[in-house]
Amino acid sequence: MEKSEPEFPLGEAGARVQTVTEFTRRVKELLEGGLPPCWVRGEVSNLRAQSSGHVYFSLKDAGAQLACVLFRGDALRQGVRLRDGQQVLAYGQAGVYEARGQYQLVVRALIEQGVGQLQQEFEQLKQRLAAEGLFDAARKRPIPAMPRTVGFITSPTGAAGQDFIRILQRRGWRGRLVVLPAKVQGAGAAAEVAAMLRTAEALGIFDLLVIGRGGGSLEDLWAFNEEPLVRAVAACAVPVISAVGHEIDYTLCDFASDVRAETPSGAAELISSQFVAAAERVAQARTAMAQVLESSARRARERLDHARSRLRLLSPAAAIEQNHLRLDDLSNRLRSAVRASVQHRRQQLGDARARLAATSPTKRVQLESHRLLALWKRLESVSPPSVLKRGYVLVRDEAGRPVARAKDIKSGQMLVNEFHDGRVRVRTE
Amino acid sequence: MDPDKTAKPSFETALARLETIVDAMEQGEVPLADLLAKYEEGTKLLKVCEARLKDAELKIEKLKKTKDGGVVFEPFESGRGE
C-alpha cells in the first residue's frame, strides 16, 4: 500500500480531508446560494401533513422527483388544498437538510397548474400592488350619498348598462347618469377604460364613477386586472365603484376602487339605496328638529309658568294679601278668645250666684218659718180651745179657777162648764 | 366661516352637518338661545338638502366624442331595447 502512488493523494496532515458536516455544509451553501427561488411545475405525490402543521410532499414528472416541504406559516397562507396527483406550480428555493443529507424545495407559494398563467399573473400583480399600498383601506373614500352626476364606464351595448339603468329607474333614484362608452373586453380594453376614466375626471362634472361589465370568463374580465387600469382606478380623483362580472369574480380594479359592487346591478342598488336612505335621513332630521324644538319650548314654558307662580307668591301684593289673611285670622282668634273668656266668666258668675242663692237667709227664714208653723200647729193642737173642740169640757169654780179633781168639788156647788162654743152654769148634786 | 361652505355646501356636507346639529339639539340642557340658533342653522341646511332632493330628476345621457376631440352629451338610447 505504502509503495503504490495513491490515485487521490491525501494532503499534508489531512488538511484537505473534510468531515461529513463540513462537506454537507458546502453542498448547502452551493445549493442555497447558487439557486435563486423559482417556480417548479410538477405533480403532487406522497403528500403528508404533519401534526406540526408542516406539509411534506414530492413533486414529480416523468423524469424526476423533488422532495418538497411547505412550512406551517406558508401552508396557512395557501389558497390551494393539496392532494396527491394534483398538478401544481410551486414557488420556492432549494434547501438542504444536513442531518439526513437531503435536499428539498422549501415551498413558499403554490398555485394549481389548471388555473393557469393568468391567475398567476393576477396573484403576482395583486401582491405587488398591495405591497405598494394601492389597496389600503385608508385610501377608500365614501361614496357620496346623493351624487348629482354619475358616470358609468361600460360597453354602451352591454346588458350590464341596461340592468344598471333599469334598477336605478325602478328604485326611484334621481340624478344625472352619463354612460361613458368604452370597450370592456379584449385587446386595448384596459387602455380605453383608463382613458375614459381620465376623460371623466377632466370633465369635472362627476361626483361618482362606476366601471363595470357583466360576467364572463377570467380572460373576458382580464382588462380589469391590467396594471395601467388598476393604477388609473386607484389614482382617480372621483370616487369609483368597481362592478365587474358576477359575485364570485374579483378583479384588481375591485381592490383598487373605493367600493366593490358584486355586479353592475349591485352598484345600482347601492347607489339607489343610498339615495333613498339620504332622503329618509333628511326627513328624520326635519322631524327630530321639530320635536326637539317643541319639547324644549314646552319645557321652557313649564319652567316659565313655574317661575311665574313662584314670583307671584313673592310679590308685595301677595305679601299684603298674606298679611290681610294673617290679620283676619288673628282678629278672629282674638274675638273668639274674648268671647270664650266672657262666657267663662259668665258661667262662673252664674255658678256663684247659684251658690249664693243656695246660701241666702230668705231660704233659711222660709225654712225656719215652716218649722215655726209646724211647731205652732203642734202647739195649737194641744191648746185648751183645741181640746175643747174635741169634746172636752173645762170645769171652773165660781171664782173661775179650773177644777181638775173631782174631790175638790162639793155638792151643790156652782160650777161653770166651759164648752168650746160657750159656758153653761151647772149645780152639782 | 368658510365662504365656500356658506355659499353652497354639498348635499352630503349639509346632511352630515344637519345630523350633527340635530344630535346636539337632542342632547338636552341646551340653552334656549343656542337651541334657536341651531334650529335656524338646521333649517337652512334642511332647505339645502330638501331643495337638492326636489331638484333631482332622472336624466340619462351618453357621452360622445366629437371629431375635434371634444365631447358632447346626447340622450342615451337603449342599445337593446327593453
Side-chain angles (χ1 to χ4, degrees), chain A residues 231-254:
Chain A
R231 287 191 182 279
V233 168
C236 188
V238 179
V240 179
I241 297 179
S242 170
V244 181
H246 293 304
E247 290 84 340
I248 52 162
D249 300 320
Y250 273 88
T251 66
L252 294 183
C253 282
D254 289 340

Side-chain angles (χ1 to χ4, degrees), chain A residues 69-361:
Chain A
V69 59
L70 182 60
F71 289 117
R72 182 164 178 272
D74 297 313
L76 289 175
R77 277 200 298 275
Q78 304 309 311
V80 182
R81 192 157 192 89
L82 286 177
R83 59 179 194 280
D84 281 328
Q86 189 179 24
Q87 289 287 333
V88 296
L89 303 178
Y91 179 83
Q93 189 173 19
V96 172
Y97 179 47
E98 293 162 78
R100 295 185 65 85
Q102 287 175 340
Y103 81 94
Q104 57 203 350
L105 185 68
V106 180
V107 179
R108 300 296 179 198
L110 272 165
I111 55 174
E112 264 193 279
Q113 163 100 53
V115 174
Q117 190 72 13
L118 285 177
Q119 192 65 41
Q120 192 180 333
E121 278 179 34
F122 174 91
E123 291 299 337
Q124 282 173 340
L125 184 55
K126 183 181 165 192
Q127 275 177 21
R128 191 151 54 78
L129 295 181
E132 269 185 46
L134 223 62
F135 306 151
D136 284 358
R139 290 177 52 97
K140 311 286 183 202
R141 291 159 298 189
I143 296 304
M146 195 162 291
R148 281 168 191 274
T149 308
V150 177
F152 186 18
I153 304 178
T154 192
S155 158
T157 55
Q162 310 296 330
D163 292 345
F164 187 85
I165 291 166
R166 200 175 54 242
I167 287 167
L168 286 185
Q169 282 172 332
R170 196 186 67 217
R171 296 177 53 129
W173 182 76
R174 298 201 300 276
R176 182 179 176 202
L177 172 69
V178 181
V179 175
L180 305 165
K183 195 170 139 185
V184 292
Q185 181 173 338
E192 236 181 73
V193 174
M196 191 51 92
L197 261 182
R198 279 187 281 271
T199 301
E201 212 177 328
L203 283 172
I205 59 167
F206 294 103
D207 304 312
L208 175 63
L209 290 170
V210 183
I211 57 170
R213 53 152 293 149
S217 68
L218 185 61
E219 287 82 2
D220 289 341
L221 305 184
W222 193 251
F224 295 90
N225 289 325
E226 285 183 39
E227 187 170 350
L229 177 53
V230 178
R231 287 191 182 279
V233 168
C236 188
V238 179
V240 179
I241 297 179
S242 170
V244 181
H246 293 304
E247 290 84 340
I248 52 162
D249 300 320
Y250 273 88
T251 66
L252 294 183
C253 282
D254 289 340
F255 295 111
S257 66
D258 295 292
V259 168
R260 177 216 178 215
E262 291 183 332
T263 59
S265 301
E269 280 165 14
L270 176 68
I271 292 168
S272 50
S273 299
Q274 287 210 19
F275 181 89
V276 173
E280 180 61 27
R281 280 162 65 195
V282 171
Q284 273 174 2
R286 167 174 279 284
T287 312
M289 217 159 57
Q291 277 171 353
V292 169
L293 195 71
E294 205 204 314
S295 73
S296 74
R298 194 179 54 238
R299 262 204 313 280
R301 203 178 303 123
E302 282 166 5
R303 283 175 60 189
L304 188 62
D305 287 349
H306 184 59
R308 186 183 292 131
S309 57
R310 283 173 62 200
L311 186 63
R312 199 177 292 136
L313 288 178
L314 295 173
S315 74
I320 290 169
E321 279 172 8
Q322 282 293 307
N323 286 332
H324 275 312
L325 290 177
R326 254 184 93 199
L327 202 57
D328 285 350
D329 183 39
L330 285 172
S331 92
N332 283 339
R333 283 162 61 192
L334 185 62
R335 199 173 300 135
S336 68
V338 167
R339 196 181 297 129
S341 164
V342 166
Q343 214 150 27
H344 182 60
R345 294 284 149 75
R346 197 172 285 152
Q347 181 76 39
Q348 279 182 331
L349 189 60
D351 289 354
R353 187 178 290 139
R355 288 211 314 274
L356 185 63
T359 56
S360 85

